[in-house]
């Protein structure tokens, strides 16, 4: 059974940093595609950063390239998202997600992901 549990969200001023964590069970980044997505009020869920093959393949949304870094530690069953230089437009609920179709890794398309965590809120003030 796959379980994903996010933590690390919070409130920060623009320019600050946060590190999100996702504890995962029943999947690893070697046998599954994992990633971070976000959804702001009134907007569609969008892919932020995804990872496959133990980090050998990564994919980032253009809006976060150079600011966010996705990483994993299979020994700790953990997926991370380091977010630097945060902007007010990064404010959203952030979700960890996973699927088991390597042919579609590391996709940023949310509809391809089967398993989802409950989300953690990130709020960036100007």
């Amino acid at each position: 059974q796959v379980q994903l549990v996010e933590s690390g969200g919070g409130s920060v001023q623009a320019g600050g940093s946060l590190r999100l964590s996702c504890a995962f069970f029943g999947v690893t980044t070697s046998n599954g595609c994992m990633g971070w997505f976000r959804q702001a009020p009134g907007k569609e869920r969008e892919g932020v950063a995804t990872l496959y093959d133990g980090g050998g393949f990564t994919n980032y949304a253009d809006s976060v390239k150079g600011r966010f870094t996705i990483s994993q530690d299979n020994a700790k069953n953990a997926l991370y998202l380091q977010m630097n230089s945060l902007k007010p437009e990064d404010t959203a609920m952030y979700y960890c997600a996973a699927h088991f179709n390597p042919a579609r890794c590391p996709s940023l398309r949310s509809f391809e992901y089967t398993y989802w965590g409950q989300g953690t809120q990130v709020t960036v003030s100007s």
Side-chain angles (χ1 to χ4, degrees), residues 98-121:
H99 71 75
F100 289 106
N101 187 353
R104 297 189 176 276
C105 288
S107 170
L108 287 172
R109 293 175 291 192
S110 61
F111 67 85
E112 295 185 5
Y113 287 75
T114 308
Y115 305 98
W116 294 85
Q118 83 289 349
T120 186
Q121 178 68 37

Side-chain angles (χ1 to χ4, degrees), residues 2 9 30 33-34 38 52 64 87 91 96 108 114:
V2 176
S30 296
C33 192
M34 299 192 68
R38 66 186 181 187
Y52 173 60
V64 306
K87 304 175 181 180
T91 295
C96 178
L108 287 172
T114 308

Side-chain angles (χ1 to χ4, degrees), residues 2-30:
V2 176
Q3 285 186 301
L4 307 169
V5 181
E6 304 94 335
S7 62
S11 297
V12 64
Q13 289 191 327
S17 298
L18 282 174
R19 188 193 196 203
L20 304 183
S21 298
C22 172
F24 55 80
F25 307 92
V27 62
T28 71
T29 56
S30 296

Side-chain angles (χ1 to χ4, degrees), residues 28-34 50-60 70-74 79 106:
T28 71
T29 56
S30 296
N31 68 7
C33 192
M34 299 192 68
T50 57
L51 176 153
Y52 173 60
D53 194 20
F57 298 93
T58 58
N59 198 2
Y60 292 92
I70 187 171
S71 62
Q72 53 81 38
D73 186 338
N74 281 332
L79 184 74

Side-chain angles (χ1 to χ4, degrees), residues 41-69:
K43 294 188 177 181
E44 293 187 355
R45 189 169 297 187
E46 63 172 346
V48 175
T50 57
L51 176 153
Y52 173 60
D53 194 20
F57 298 93
T58 58
N59 198 2
Y60 292 92
D62 288 343
S63 59
V64 306
K65 283 181 180 177
R67 300 189 298 123
F68 291 11
T69 302

